[in-house]
Amino acid sequence: MKPIHVALIGLGTVGCGVYQTLHIHKKRLEMQLGAPIHLSTVVIENPEKHQKIGAKTPISTDISDILYNPEIDVVFEAINGKEPAFTYLKQCIEAGKHVITANKEMFAAHGNELKALAKLHDVQIGYDATTAGGIPIIQSIRQLFKANQIKEVQAILNGTTNYILTEMRENGLPFSTALKQAQKWGYAEADPTNDIEGYDAFFKLMILSDLIFNKQPDPEHIKRTGITDVTAEAIQQAKHEGKRIKHIASIKYDQTGNLTAEVELAAVPERHPLYAVEGVDNAIHLKADIVGDITLTGPGAGAFPTASAMLEDFCMIVSQKPAPLPIS
Ligand code: HSE
């Protein structure tokens, strides 16, 4: 059978996770998809940082090596920030390639534009890895919530902050030490400001908002707080009261009909659906009108959980059974 040619943009934590997963699980993926998988090129900024993989895989600093290679079917994008990711993905879609992204900041801002462009060019976008790491939340909502209407979401969407809060409470670690550990494990962003100030959770919440409510809330109906002001005393006081401090992203319509979103700290009791979500795990608690309450939980950050989400998108796209993309 004709090989599936793929390309990868970025070799940071997530890019390396994808690269390694494509190699470690090559046989299984090829069996599943019924075709050989060929990694055609890896586009990175600084080749000198990645000399170890150079021998077997062509490395390039030029996106044209993907755009003008007609053999490449699918492009994995794993770089940080809106640009050049948005431009690269637009160009890949216009060149007729399916794209799979883990870039939440870019997709929160430009997801709808990319979805519309993909529809125009008859290609697919996989973006499950943008939100909640390895939890298949995007595909679950796209594939499995068709009869239900989702009314409200409460979620832990950042692995770094949940890890820090857990370590401060359970092991008495100071904030800075817990953050350093999160960085060491590859959970935190290169610049962790987006994690600890709540921007990363906010980007993911906006991606869910587009998917579930077909729009994002007006800025005046959005509140965002980080975790940098949480003290060890507040965490221990909550513990003493049988509660845990969690960094919760939520979205719903308020009583006056406005879509409202919050990323806030809350001391939650044991009966709360997010109380038991610990360490790097994320969880999404959905209230839907037919089924009632459902919570999906799993690893929210790290190279392999994120690579897992990207590879599941890959299998879905190559199997040609994608659900239609909602475009708001
Ligand atoms: N820095 C992010 C987190 C990575 O900690 O959740 C996964 O998006």
Side-chain angles (χ1 to χ4, degrees), residues 9-135:
I9 307 174
L11 264 186
T13 302
V14 174
C16 281
V18 171
Y19 180 84
Q20 287 180 41
T21 306
L22 279 170
H23 283 85
I24 297 167
H25 299 293
K26 188 171 166 52
K27 280 215 171 79
R28 185 201 300 167
L29 288 163
E30 291 181 341
M31 285 277 287
Q32 176 71 25
L33 299 173
I37 299 167
H38 180 75
L39 179 57
S40 298
T41 188
V42 180
V43 170
I44 48 177
E45 222 175 11
N46 300 307
E48 62 281 6
K49 277 195 200 164
H50 302 284
Q51 283 163 357
K52 277 189 194 156
I53 69 154
K56 281 193 170 173
T57 308
I59 290 212
S60 167
T61 54
D62 187 355
I63 190 71
S64 305
D65 288 336
I66 295 178
L67 301 178
Y68 299 118
N69 181 345
E71 281 198 318
I72 294 173
D73 307 293
V74 183
V75 180
F76 293 91
E77 180 264 309
I79 53 180
N80 287 321
K82 287 186 208 164
E83 287 295 354
F86 177 49
T87 301
Y88 285 176
L89 287 195
K90 266 199 306 192
Q91 292 172 328
C92 288
I93 291 170
E94 282 162 355
K97 299 173 191 317
H98 302 294
V99 296
I100 296 170
T101 180
N103 189 325
K104 48 269 166 115
E105 182 170 2
M106 181 278 298
F107 208 78
H110 298 299
N112 285 330
E113 210 174 323
L114 290 177
K115 288 177 198 172
L117 196 65
K119 196 171 181 184
L120 190 70
H121 290 271
D122 199 22
V123 295
Q124 295 293 321
I125 302 186
Y127 63 101
D128 221 315
T130 60
T131 304
I135 304 174

